[in-house]
Amino acid sequence: MYAPERQQEILRLAREAGRIDVLSLADRFQVTAETVRRDLKALDRAGLVRRVHGGAIPAGRLDFEPDLTERETTRADEKDRIAAAAFAEIPAGGSVVLDAGSTVARLAAALPVDAALTVVTHALPVAARLADHAGIDLHLVGGRVRHRTRAAVDAWALRAYAEIRADVAFLAANGFSAHGLFTPDLAEAAVKRAAMAAARRVVLLADSSKAGREHFACFGSLADVDLLITDQGLAPAQQAAIEAAGTEVVLV
C-alpha cells in the first residue's frame, strides 16, 4: 500500500472511530510506528486530523477533551519551561487564582513550602499539591466536580469567584485564536470567565500547540489577557497578532 492510500484509510478510520492510536495503526498496516507518525504528521499539516498524545483525532472534533493523565504527559518539557517562567509573575505576599490545567498545576508544584501567598483554586489537583504548604493561605472553591478535569464548576464556584479580587489569575486554555480563548465544556468556560474577572491581572499559560485551536465554549478574548507565556513553537505571525490585541507575549 502506498503512503497516500494508507493515509486515506487512516483518515477514514479516524472519522469512524473518533480517535486513532499509533500502535494499533502500525499493527493494522504492518508498518513501523514511525511510519504512522509521519502519516499523521502529513494529515495534520493538511488540516484533516489533529495529533494528540499517542495518536490523532479528526480535525472537526471541537468537543474533544483529553483526560488529565494525557494532558500531564503531553508536551511536558514545554509546560515545565512555561511554569518556570510563570513563577516570576507570582506576587510576593499577594494573592493568586490558579485555574485547572496541567501547566498551572506545574506552577503550583513549583511553589516553595514556606511561600507567603494566598491561593484560590477550583482545581482539586492544585489544592492537593498545596494542602501541606504551611505558608500558603489556601482557599478551595467548591461546586460540582468535573471528573475529566477534577475542577469544580457551576453556581457555587461562580459565586465564590464573584466575592474576591486577587492580584493575578493564572489561566489555562484548550485553545486560543483571534476569535478568543476556548475550552470544550460550557460549565468550565463559565468558571474560567469568573476567575479572570476576579483578578487585576490575567496570565495565560498555554503551550504553542494550543495556538489556532478552537473548541465549543469561548470564555474570553486575547484582549482580556495581560500576558501569554508560551513556548518558542509559536509562529511569528501568531505572536504579532496576539501582541496587536494588547497582550504581552513571553516565549520560553
Side-chain angles (χ1 to χ4, degrees):
M1 181 181 288
Y2 293 110
E5 296 175 302
R6 188 174 58 248
Q7 290 166 13
Q8 188 64 34
E9 181 65 8
I10 288 173
L11 180 59
R12 183 188 68 78
L13 292 170
R15 288 172 172 168
E16 284 185 358
R19 181 181 178 124
I20 47 178
D21 69 89
V22 170
L23 296 181
S24 294
L25 291 173
D27 183 65
R28 181 186 185 97
F29 295 110
Q30 291 298 291
V31 295
T32 66
E34 186 56 36
T35 296
V36 172
R37 291 189 185 96
R38 285 197 297 269
D39 288 335
L40 295 182
K41 186 175 182 179
L43 291 168
D44 184 276
R45 282 199 304 264
L48 298 172
V49 303
R50 195 167 72 208
R51 296 176 72 188
V52 297
H53 182 66
I57 60 171
R61 287 284 304 279
L62 292 181
D63 60 336
F64 175 78
E65 186 175 15
D67 61 29
L68 201 59
T69 301
E70 180 173 312
R71 286 188 289 119
E72 286 176 347
T73 56
T74 301
R75 298 178 68 88
D77 290 342
E78 290 89 342
K79 291 176 179 180
D80 285 339
R81 294 199 303 271
I82 292 168
F87 188 79
E89 302 298 320
I90 297 285
S95 57
V96 300
V97 171
L98 297 183
D99 188 18
S102 56
T103 310
V104 179
R106 281 171 159 78
L107 173 60
L111 294 176
V113 175
D114 58 350
L117 190 67
T118 298
V119 175
V120 183
T121 186
H122 58 285
L124 294 186
V126 170
R129 289 176 186 269
L130 299 178
D132 293 330
H133 287 46
I136 290 180
D137 185 13
L138 178 63
H139 298 260
L140 177 59
V141 171
R144 177 178 63 87
V145 175
R146 290 193 68 230
H147 294 293
R148 196 143 192 96
T149 59
R150 309 294 193 272
V153 296
D154 293 343
W156 193 358
L158 298 179
R159 284 197 301 269
Y161 277 124
E163 295 176 355
I164 69 166
R165 188 68 171 163
D167 294 315
V168 186
F170 292 92
L171 271 239
N174 294 76
F176 61 90
S177 74
H179 297 109
L181 311 173
F182 295 92
T183 191
D185 184 76
L186 284 170
E188 194 120 13
V191 177
K192 288 178 181 291
R193 193 177 302 116
M196 292 172 68
R200 298 176 183 88
R201 177 171 166 80
V202 176
V203 178
L204 177 63
L205 309 182
D207 67 76
S208 62
S209 71
K210 311 289 180 62
R213 291 189 175 181
E214 298 179 355
H215 294 263
F216 180 64
C218 179
F219 62 89
S221 71
L222 285 168
D224 299 320
V225 176
D226 296 287
L227 171 64
L228 165 65
I229 304 178
T230 187
D231 61 83
Q232 297 186 20
L234 186 71
Q238 292 173 318
Q239 179 179 352
I242 293 167
E243 291 175 334
T247 301
E248 181 186 358
V249 177
V250 170
L251 303 181
V252 295

